[in-house]
Amino acid sequence: MTVSSPSTFDTIKANAVGDWQRCGDSFFRKELLYNFTWDDVNFQQKRLACCSFGGPIAVIRDERRAVLITGGAFGSGSLRPVIRFFNGAGSTTGAVVWDRGRILGWGWTSDVELVIVESNGRVSCWSPFGSKIREFTLGIH
């Protein structure tokens, strides 16, 4: 009679505990890294710019939609839109009252800078914390 010793895989499988899952010849488990904290953001009424790989997210009221405005930016009574900056978990990292031109387009660069192009040709670059990095124009006057 031949007795075979258990394979390494069978040994690992027998010793796997908790919420480990098998995937081929490997095991994995999901761990909660952080809780999402999206408290008061209604995404249906906002424009979003999401950075790659779970990076920062910029949010502003969508001026192309009719939206009921119930309060001002930071309680100031202002009706100007606010660009809010969030990390991937939804925690606020910064905010800027947008008192400039109409935004034609925006997006994040590979250097994690938010680039905003306005209707008048002005381009501004912002950090994920709401600090302006630089500004230039596209030659439109």
Side-chain angles (χ1 to χ4, degrees):
M1 179 172 152
T2 308
V3 177
S4 63
S5 62
S7 69
T8 305
F9 180 76
D10 292 332
T11 303
I12 293 172
K13 184 177 179 182
N15 294 327
V17 295
D19 57 351
W20 287 89
Q21 302 293 321
R22 180 179 173 189
C23 182
D25 291 338
S26 301
F27 288 88
F28 73 95
R29 71 177 178 175
K30 294 187 273 185
E31 290 190 36
L32 180 64
L33 298 177
Y34 48 79
N35 291 317
F36 290 110
T37 57
W38 298 102
D39 294 330
D40 61 343
V41 180
N42 180 351
F43 293 113
Q44 272 85 34
Q45 301 174 352
K46 308 290 187 205
R47 288 178 72 180
L48 300 168
C50 303
C51 192
S52 300
F53 307 111
I57 300 168
V59 178
I60 192 169
R61 183 185 72 220
D62 192 350
E63 75 278 355
R64 299 170 296 185
R65 295 176 175 242
V67 177
L68 175 64
I69 301 172
T70 57
F74 309 115
S76 65
S78 171
L79 297 179
R80 293 181 288 188
V82 176
I83 297 177
R84 295 173 62 191
F85 296 86
F86 298 92
N87 64 18
S91 297
T92 301
T93 59
V96 174
V97 176
W98 190 254
D99 56 357
R100 305 172 69 124
R102 188 172 64 87
I103 297 175
L104 288 182
W106 65 345
W108 292 93
T109 68
S110 59
D111 293 331
V112 192
E113 293 180 1
L114 179 67
V115 177
I116 300 174
V117 180
E118 300 173 39
S119 59
N120 61 4
R122 186 169 36 188
V123 178
S124 53
C125 301
W126 300 81
S127 78
F129 306 103
S131 302
K132 188 176 1 174
I133 298 170
R134 69 183 155 279
E135 180 179 293
F136 57 92
T137 63
L138 297 174
I140 302 170
H141 297 283

